Amino acid sequence: MEYLSHSVAETEDIGARLARTLRPGTVLAYQGDLGMGKTAFTRGLARGLGCEGRVTSPTFTIVNEYEGPVPLFHFDLYRLEDADALFDIGWEDYLARGGICAVEWSERAEDALPEDTLYVTIRRHPENDGWRIITVQGGDAL
């Protein structure tokens, strides 16, 4: 599936709509450069899942947890060296908890991602820097 977002609000809305289609245990692997809207997309996911709390980038904490009917675990792997470091912070425990795992900079720990991971790529539109093309593919969660 491919979506076109004209604003941060639209990026959040796309995340909220996608959240309503996900089942517990889904892993979303984000791909996209810095500033593409991965955290905005996650804010929408949280809203769509009914999670409470302010959604911020977990760059320094590695993972933020948001409670809701289905919890959201928001990872930012930018500061991790490899998949081993992800296992050191309890990756398998998060997978076992049955929430949605949204993983920014997922390419840093690609070996740790489950086979049915859903990939979300966010990139600039070639004709307008403010627009984003959001592609969702893979997995069996949809």
Side-chain angles (χ1 to χ4, degrees), residues 24-110:
T26 299
V27 174
L28 298 163
Y30 295 160
Q31 299 172 330
D33 292 334
L34 193 64
M36 286 296 103
K38 295 180 291 286
T39 300
F41 189 86
T42 305
R43 277 194 302 270
L45 274 178
R47 186 176 76 228
L49 293 170
C51 294
E52 301 292 322
R54 184 171 165 252
V55 175
T56 60
S57 179
T59 301
F60 296 101
T61 58
I62 309 299
V63 62
N64 288 341
E65 298 184 28
Y66 302 101
E67 292 302 319
V70 176
L72 174 63
F73 310 120
H74 181 198
F75 293 82
D76 185 329
L77 307 185
Y78 186 76
R79 295 168 29 119
L80 293 187
E81 292 181 27
D82 55 27
D84 289 339
L86 184 58
F87 286 103
D88 290 344
I89 64 166
W91 174 243
E92 291 170 316
D93 295 331
Y94 283 103
L95 293 176
R97 288 174 63 187
I100 303 297
C101 292
V103 185
E104 294 190 35
W105 300 101
S106 62
E107 60 273 13
R108 295 189 181 258
E110 198 167 322

Side-chain angles (χ1 to χ4, degrees), residues 1 21-23 25-29 114-120 136-142:
M1 289 186 287
T21 69
L22 302 176
R23 66 172 188 247
T26 299
V27 174
L28 298 163
E115 222 175 85
D116 61 348
T117 294
L118 195 61
Y119 290 87
V120 177
V136 181
Q137 60 189 19
D140 61 4
L142 297 178

Side-chain angles (χ1 to χ4, degrees), residues 111-130:
D111 295 343
L113 300 175
E115 222 175 85
D116 61 348
T117 294
L118 195 61
Y119 290 87
V120 177
T121 303
I122 305 176
R123 64 188 191 282
R124 280 187 181 81
H125 189 280
E127 296 174 16
N128 187 318
D129 252 5

